[in-house]
């Protein structure tokens, strides 16, 4: 269970908070979409969750751990429960797919042979068995994101955080990456947070949905119910774009 309890965060020099008393929870093993326009506070929410940004007030619990109460070695240990997938993949260009997936395992102190075994298993799971020794520059965007997902899962996290992770991909690759994430969610039981400005992504993949507007949660509920009867101005406007995407 992920629980945000009245999380507030204002960046230095800004008057309006990027997150204003944000409260919601995500059921374990579910896929939750966090939707909002650019600047709504989505990435801030993710960065507060990973401990990269400190909150001003409120708490963020992941399982039994309050991430906002930790620092140093304790925070680094808790961070291993979170796998992060990035928009621009962020792969190490001088390392092969296998080495990229091994990297977080080696950092976590896993031996080289065991790290290689686990990385091979993960790359098989994401459909890249034949690309183990390929460098990122030789892989398509969709394949690079599969490596990114395998790497995020390397330390066996309970939660997978995906921030605009399909924004650099075409619609076909987007669909297949979303299908991969749905399969990993059901096979591994990993809880997934998909952050996106595209409502169609949430519609395709999410069990529950929260909508954030200028740092406030304006919608929260089962994805289909929220999409069927949007109450907020912002979601009403976004729903009209669905027919076009
Ligand atoms: N490091 C930062 N310093 C100051 N303001 C920031 C910083 N990061 C984000 N912001 C501001 O906080 C708000 C939310 O940004 P962000 O969380 O990146 O939104 P989103 O991911 O939804 O586009 C925006 O007004 C943005 O300009
Ligand atoms: Mg963002």
């Amino acid at each position: 269970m992920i629980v945000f309890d009245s999380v507030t965060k204002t960046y230095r020099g800004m008057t309006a908070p990027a997150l204003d008393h944000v409260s919601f929870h995500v059921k374990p093993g579910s896929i939750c979409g966090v939707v909002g326009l650019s600047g709504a506070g989505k990435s801030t929410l993710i960065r507060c969750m990973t401990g990269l940004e400190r909150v001003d007030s409120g708490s963020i619990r992941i399982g039994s751990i309050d991430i906002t109460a930790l620092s140093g070695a304790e925070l680094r240990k808790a961070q291993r429960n979170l796998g992060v997938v990035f928009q621009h993949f962020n792969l190490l260009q001088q390392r092969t797919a296998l080495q990229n997936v091994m990297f977080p395992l080696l950092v976590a102190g896993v031996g080289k042979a065991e790290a290689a075994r686990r990385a091979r298993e993960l790359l098989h799971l994401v459909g890249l068995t034949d690309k183990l020794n390929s460098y990122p520059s030789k892989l398509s965007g969709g394949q690079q994101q599969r490596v990114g997902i395998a790497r995020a899962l390397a330390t066996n996290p309970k939660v997978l955080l995906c921030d605009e992770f399909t924004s650099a991909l075409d619609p076909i690759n987007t669909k297949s990456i979303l299908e991969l994430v749905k399969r990993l969610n059901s096979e591994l039981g990993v809880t997934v947070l998909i952050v996106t400005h595209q409502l169609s992504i949430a519609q395709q993949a999410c069990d529950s949905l929260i909508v954030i507007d200028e740092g406030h949660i304006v919608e929260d509920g089962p994805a289909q119910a929220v999409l069927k009867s949007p109450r907020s101005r912002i979601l009403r406007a976004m729903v009209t774009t669905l027919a076009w995407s």
Side-chain angles (χ1 to χ4, degrees):
M1 176 86 102
I2 301 167
V3 182
F4 271 63
D5 185 8
S6 204
V7 171
T8 296
K9 165 79 187 174
T10 306
Y11 288 105
R12 196 184 303 242
M14 303 291 282
T15 46
L19 296 176
D20 195 355
H21 296 90
V22 165
S23 298
F24 67 96
H25 66 269
V26 181
K27 278 196 201 127
S30 69
I31 306 183
C32 175
V34 178
V35 174
L37 300 181
S38 180
K42 306 181 297 296
S43 293
T44 302
L45 188 149
I46 294 283
R47 287 202 298 271
C48 288
M49 222 177 137
T50 59
L52 214 69
E53 291 285 355
R54 309 305 300 186
V55 304
D56 302 333
S57 57
S59 66
I60 304 172
R61 274 199 296 115
I62 297 160
S64 57
I65 298 166
D66 178 359
I67 203 105
T68 60
L70 305 180
S71 59
E74 278 183 335
L75 178 60
R76 283 195 294 279
K77 187 164 166 237
Q79 283 169 334
R80 285 190 205 138
N81 280 321
L82 301 168
V84 186
V85 185
F86 303 93
Q87 176 176 1
H88 296 295
F89 324 132
N90 297 14
L91 301 178
L92 299 165
Q93 295 299 315
Q94 309 304 327
R95 300 191 189 212
T96 63
L98 188 73
Q99 290 166 337
N100 267 281
V101 181
M102 283 173 70
F103 189 73
L105 291 164
L106 298 175
V107 170
V110 176
K112 214 169 165 185
E114 172 58 16
R117 189 197 63 73
R118 171 102 181 113
R120 261 188 235 107
E121 184 181 279
L122 283 158
L123 285 163
H124 176 68
L125 196 64
V126 300
L128 290 179
T129 309
D130 57 340
K131 300 290 180 192
L132 301 182
N133 298 315
S134 299
Y135 287 88
S137 62
K138 301 285 185 238
L139 298 173
S140 72
Q143 290 168 337
Q144 289 186 59
Q145 195 55 298
R146 283 170 191 267
V147 178
I149 291 169
R151 179 184 56 184
L153 292 171
T155 55
N156 225 348
K158 293 188 180 67
V159 178
L160 190 64
L161 301 174
C162 309
D163 190 358
E164 305 283 5
F165 76 140
T166 59
S167 295
L169 302 177
D170 62 55
I172 306 280
N173 272 304
T174 294
K175 190 155 184 280
S176 88
I177 288 286
L178 290 176
E179 267 154 23
L180 171 66
V181 166
K182 282 202 268 186
R183 180 164 65 77
L184 295 171
N185 164 258
S186 72
E187 282 178 14
L188 308 175
V190 64
T191 306
V192 183
L193 222 65
I194 296 183
V195 171
T196 177
H197 65 279
Q198 290 173 283
L199 203 52
S200 61
I201 303 291
Q203 186 190 33
Q204 285 176 71
C206 297
D207 303 313
S208 65
L209 199 59
I210 67 168
V211 178
I212 180 165
D213 183 24
E214 295 183 347
H216 298 95
I217 304 278
V218 293
E219 307 258 1
D220 179 2
Q224 295 317 323
V226 169
L227 289 170
K228 203 171 157 213
S229 31
R231 289 175 288 117
S232 61
R233 176 188 57 84
I234 195 78
L235 187 59
R236 284 209 192 105
M238 289 179 97
V239 162
T240 63
T241 66
L242 272 180
W244 304 97
S245 56

